[in-house]
Amino acid sequence: MPLNACELEIDLFCKGLRVPESVTLEGARGISRTRAGLGSGLEIVIPSNSWLKREIWMNAPVVEAFVERSPYELRGNPAGYVVYDHRGGLEYPVTLPSEPAWYRRQTSRDVPMSRIGVLQGTYLGIYINPSCAFWNYSPPLNCGFCTTGANVGCHESAIKTVDDVIETCHAARDESGVTFVHLNGGFQGSNGLRSAEPYVKAVKENVGLLVGLQLTPEKDFTAYDRLIDLGVDHFSFCLELFDPEWFAWVCPGKARMLGQNLFLEAMDYCASRMPRGSVSGEIIAGLEPIDRTLAAIERITSVGAFPTVCLFRPTVGSAMENWPPPDYDDMRQVLAAVYDACRRHRVPIGLAPNLEVSLVVNPDDAALLVPRTPAMIAYEGWRRALRVAARPAFSRRMHASGGDRPSH
């Protein structure tokens, strides 16, 4: 029986996609080994031939070792691609988003824009900090799944000035229709949030994009108040794992220097200060016992935040690159629980315009995993009404408050 678009997305995350040498990827987005390495796959778009009536974007694993055993193979050419399933001969049509021309242009500092930011789905991701400081300890305290220390400064620029970021944001907005920029970074001691302020201020004043921020939490919560006042639209917190022992083992730096509770407390604080659904807790599914992942989903949604679930990817070059990928059935259960928890706690999902994230299974993608009960249909109707009602507010927040172009 054919999988629906979200089920195919999950299975591709779990099994990967083989790309034979005979299949040309001319014009498609290149593989981006940036930040933690989660974007090191092939960007594909899966049409949803169902009531969902939208496309699902994903970054399919193609270079990891486990992909060699995948039943899925990409076939076709730029005129038309399909994902072929060798288990039953089914074909799923997909498209490969094209690489934007601005990737090849340079900022006024002569840095290629693709080394400043990359598209991941329909949004722009920019790592604004130097490499995560956890990599600098002896022995290193970096998270076991992460390759930031090998990518920042190698596959992307280690230093990104405010002008670099603004110029890249303008290009992404004007030429790729980007509405949201995600500014993130690794551990920088107690100065990470303060160092993000100039970037947030400049984007809001000069470009007018929606701005998301993902940095390690800090104990002084007034730092979040300042960032909210500057116009941050979304905060995300990389909790990663809910089980304390797994958290400490996989994320030694976070456990030793910050503590798991700080992530939850900072998330709770921001959720209390921001509109419902403006905060997310990021977790990794496929490592800790599934009941702990389900407990994390419930904990996050209980405060009006939404869970951002990354299906564990044994990224090439990470300490965990030889670990097995997660099981499809388990991951389907987890993602169905994400949607169900958002519904029960009335967390609004999928409201922002033109925002599709390819690195994770979006909570609104997971609507395809649950039965269409009266409660589910009512929630979908509520979400549709909210999307319409929220348009004027998003339009205001995407208006550059200080003009259209930065002065140099």
Side-chain angles (χ1 to χ4, degrees):
M1 184 174 179
L3 302 176
N4 67 40
C6 186
E7 290 171 332
L8 178 61
E9 177 187 22
I10 295 170
D11 211 26
L12 285 170
F13 271 126
C14 293
K15 295 181 175 66
L17 176 64
R18 290 185 288 112
V19 182
E21 292 184 4
S22 59
V23 175
T24 176
L25 301 179
E26 182 180 0
R29 291 185 193 174
I31 293 173
S32 300
R33 288 196 57 75
T34 57
R35 303 191 291 176
L38 290 178
S40 59
L42 181 68
E43 295 272 306
I44 69 172
V45 182
I46 308 169
S48 178
N49 299 320
S50 71
W51 62 268
L52 193 62
K53 298 186 185 303
R54 68 176 181 83
E55 300 170 323
I56 287 180
W57 292 65
M58 76 167 296
N59 186 275
V62 294
V63 298
E64 289 80 3
F66 74 90
V67 175
E68 297 176 4
R69 304 184 297 275
S70 175
Y72 293 111
E73 178 183 292
L74 185 69
R75 293 182 174 181
N77 55 56
Y81 293 98
V82 297
V83 170
Y84 180 78
D85 187 347
H86 281 270
R87 293 170 298 186
L90 292 172
E91 292 185 346
Y92 300 92
V94 297
T95 57
L96 307 187
S98 58
E99 182 169 289
W102 59 264
Y103 267 25
R104 298 184 293 277
R105 291 208 299 274
Q106 295 185 328
T107 69
S108 57
R109 200 167 58 92
D110 294 329
V111 179
M113 288 187 176
S114 61
R115 289 177 59 84
I116 300 300
V118 294
L119 297 177
Q120 293 175 324
T122 62
Y123 79 96
L124 179 66
I126 301 180
Y127 194 95
I128 57 174
N129 287 344
S131 182
C132 176
F134 288 145
W135 288 79
N136 301 330
Y137 287 82
S138 183
L141 296 175
N142 58 282
C143 298
F145 53 80
C146 182
T147 60
T148 297
N151 293 333
V152 177
C154 178
H155 299 285
E156 65 175 288
S157 180
I159 302 297
K160 302 175 181 72
T161 67
V162 170
D163 279 352
D164 285 337
V165 168
I166 295 305
E167 292 166 17
T168 303
C169 284
H170 269 297
R173 184 197 68 177
D174 297 344
E175 300 176 36
S176 299
V178 163
T179 60
F180 180 86
V181 59
H182 194 232
L183 307 177
N184 67 353
F187 178 66
Q188 301 295 320
S190 60
N191 193 45
L193 294 176
R194 177 69 76 174
S195 68
E197 292 180 9
Y199 296 97
V200 174
K201 185 174 186 291
V203 170
K204 282 305 203 179
E205 290 183 351
N206 298 302
V207 190
L209 295 176
L210 300 173
V211 175
L213 192 63
Q214 183 186 84
L215 296 168
T216 50
E218 298 175 16
K219 295 178 181 179
D220 180 7
F221 289 172
T222 61
Y224 296 108
D225 296 329
R226 291 194 301 271
L227 287 162
I228 292 170
D229 290 341
L230 287 173
V232 167
D233 300 280
H234 173 257
F235 287 103
S236 53
F237 296 92
C238 289
L239 175 63
E240 316 294 17
L241 299 149
F242 201 52
D243 183 275
E245 292 185 2
W246 275 91
F247 179 80
W249 188 78
V250 176
C251 307
K254 289 183 176 181
R256 183 182 304 180
M257 307 297 291
L258 301 169
Q260 190 179 43
N261 285 338
L262 183 58
F263 286 84
L264 295 168
E265 291 166 1
M267 180 186 72
D268 293 352
Y269 180 81
C270 291
S272 73
R273 296 274 287 110
M274 302 276 283
R276 198 169 184 82
S278 298
V279 175
S280 63
E282 185 167 308
I283 54 176
I284 298 173
L287 289 178
E288 64 185 345
I290 189 172
D291 67 305
R292 304 310 296 150
T293 303
L294 297 175
I297 290 167
E298 189 66 21
R299 171 66 175 80
I300 292 165
T301 53
S302 71
V303 298
F306 66 90
T308 305
V309 178
C310 294
L311 275 61
F312 170 66
R313 180 180 294 194
T315 309
V316 174
S318 72
M320 303 179 77
E321 68 173 316
N322 294 319
W323 280 56
D327 175 75
Y328 166 79
D329 290 332
D330 286 347
M331 296 304 97
R332 193 190 188 287
Q333 180 184 350
V334 165
L335 272 304
V338 167
Y339 181 87
D340 182 65
C342 289
R343 177 190 61 78
R344 286 185 291 101
H345 291 285
R346 277 298 189 262
V347 179
I349 52 178
L351 301 188
N354 189 36
L355 178 53
E356 301 291 344
V357 182
S358 63
L359 303 185
V360 302
V361 178
N362 295 289
D364 44 334
D365 294 350
L368 291 174
L369 305 178
V370 301
R372 297 199 71 192
T373 62
M376 182 268 194
I377 293 171
Y379 178 60
E380 286 299 304
W382 179 71
R383 288 206 307 120
R384 283 195 295 272
L386 281 182
R387 278 200 299 273
V388 174
R391 286 172 186 167
F394 280 122
S395 180
R396 288 193 298 271
R397 296 190 73 85
M398 289 189 293
H399 179 73
S401 61
D404 285 335
R405 295 283 173 183
S407 59
H408 298 290

